Amino acid sequence: MSDKTMSAEEAVSRLRSGMTLGIGGWGSRRKPMALVRALLRSEVTDLTVVSYGGPDVGMLAAAGRIRELVAAFVTLDSIPLEPHYRAAREGGAFALTEIDEAMFMWGLHAAANRLPFLPVRAGIGSDVMRVNPRLRTVTSPYEDGETFVAVPALRLDAALVHVNRADRLGNGQYLGPDPYFDDLFCEAADEAYVSCEQIVDTAELTKAAPPQSLLLKRHTVTGVVEAPNGAHFTSCAPDYGRDEVFQKRYATTPWPQFAARYLAGDERAYRAAVEEES
């Protein structure tokens, strides 16, 4: 066991252009935005991004960092369609592999278990098969003879996720209402970098919450980044809710202006800019 703590910049320095990157969270909920902002300040590009998409996808798409996106949706929740993603996609900035939410989950399960695919009923009879012609079907070898979609494994070179608490060894805890499959992102990846609201001693993780809240296991985590307010402007319940005022500003501001205002400098500069306009 070893101390895995590092800065957001150190975590991003281990990423490479051209890799497949999974980003945890869901829509505009518990996204690892401090890590995404550090990624945007780097030179890493040409990414295949795998995400239940939110502003992480919108920002990376607007910045021209995505080669291909694998997603079931890209939303800001209270704003149904992520506007910067929409503009980039309509401009043909990247390729899109669209699968439904259940297929996405089982693709992560397959990767986490080092399987080439998993059979699922989701997608049969829907337009997912039409818009994603690379998908294949498989027939049950048993007497039922049922046909399933063979969802390919979503293998990741690296994953970025955000949780409420973590220890220095890489054990991560969520305290909100939903795990958002962040454990599967880590298990499906060769490397996983976890940001958290607070790093605590291992014994503290179960003092105020049950063992079931320990979502991430240290053997699946490569690095831990303490990043208070690190999911902003997305929510990180129960620590804070979504910053709807800031999210609206993000959604209605042209990307070059937003990037110049909020992505120049480090996280301290970002927080200062946010506080100045609060």
Side-chain angles (χ1 to χ4, degrees):
M1 295 187 292
S2 60
D3 188 328
K4 298 179 181 179
T5 56
M6 59 182 64
S7 68
E9 289 70 26
E10 288 173 324
V12 166
S13 72
R14 300 182 177 208
L15 305 182
R16 305 172 302 281
S17 294
M19 69 190 330
T20 297
L21 179 67
I23 304 177
W26 179 282
S28 195
R29 286 170 266 182
R30 215 175 69 226
K31 285 290 181 177
M33 297 306 297
L35 295 177
V36 170
R37 289 189 291 269
L39 178 58
L40 287 164
R41 291 191 289 266
S42 77
E43 299 299 319
V44 175
T45 189
D46 196 36
L47 296 168
T48 295
V49 173
V50 179
S51 176
Y52 286 106
D56 55 326
V57 170
M59 290 185 180
L60 291 170
R65 305 297 184 92
I66 300 177
R67 178 181 72 246
E68 180 178 359
L69 173 66
V70 181
F73 53 75
V74 184
T75 180
L76 297 178
D77 292 321
S78 57
I79 299 172
L81 184 59
E82 217 285 355
H84 295 295
Y85 154 77
R86 178 177 185 172
R89 175 61 184 159
E90 288 179 346
F94 54 86
L96 174 64
T97 297
E98 185 177 1
I99 54 180
D100 75 11
E101 295 171 22
M103 296 165 73
F104 192 109
M105 177 188 70
W106 286 108
L108 290 175
H109 269 294
N113 287 281
R114 302 303 187 260
L115 296 171
F117 72 92
L118 277 173
V120 301
R121 290 190 176 90
I124 293 291
S126 76
D127 278 346
V128 170
M129 304 298 292
R130 179 182 59 81
V131 301
N132 192 346
R134 290 184 291 179
L135 288 173
R136 299 289 184 266
T137 58
V138 63
T139 302
S140 169
Y142 299 103
E143 59 185 24
D144 59 280
E146 188 173 352
T147 298
F148 300 93
V149 177
V151 177
L154 293 176
R155 288 287 297 138
L156 309 173
D157 294 312
L160 307 177
V161 306
H162 185 79
V163 294
N164 301 89
R165 307 286 184 268
D167 66 12
R168 295 178 178 277
L169 305 178
N171 297 298
Q173 180 178 55
Y174 82 105
L175 300 175
D178 199 312
Y180 306 132
F181 307 108
D182 285 357
D183 52 337
L184 292 181
F185 276 96
C186 292
E187 292 168 14
D190 293 336
E191 303 173 5
Y193 299 96
V194 179
S195 60
C196 64
E197 293 298 312
Q198 183 182 10
I199 291 177
V200 299
D201 291 336
T202 304
E204 295 294 319
L205 291 172
T206 55
K207 277 191 175 180
Q212 293 87 342
S213 65
L214 295 178
L215 181 65
L216 309 181
K217 310 302 186 292
R218 64 178 183 266
H219 70 275
T220 68
V221 172
T222 309
V224 180
V225 177
E226 187 171 53
N229 216 34
H232 184 272
F233 50 92
T234 73
S235 62
C236 186
D239 292 310
Y240 48 86
R242 185 162 53 244
D243 187 338
E244 295 287 2
V245 173
F246 190 90
Q247 176 165 277
K248 185 175 181 180
R249 182 180 300 121
Y250 160 74
T252 56
T253 302
W255 173 252
Q257 296 177 26
F258 183 89
R261 179 75 173 98
Y262 294 105
L263 299 181
D266 58 14
E267 281 301 293
R268 288 178 296 179
Y270 170 80
R271 289 195 293 270
V274 172
E275 290 171 1
E276 183 180 318
E277 297 194 10
S278 297

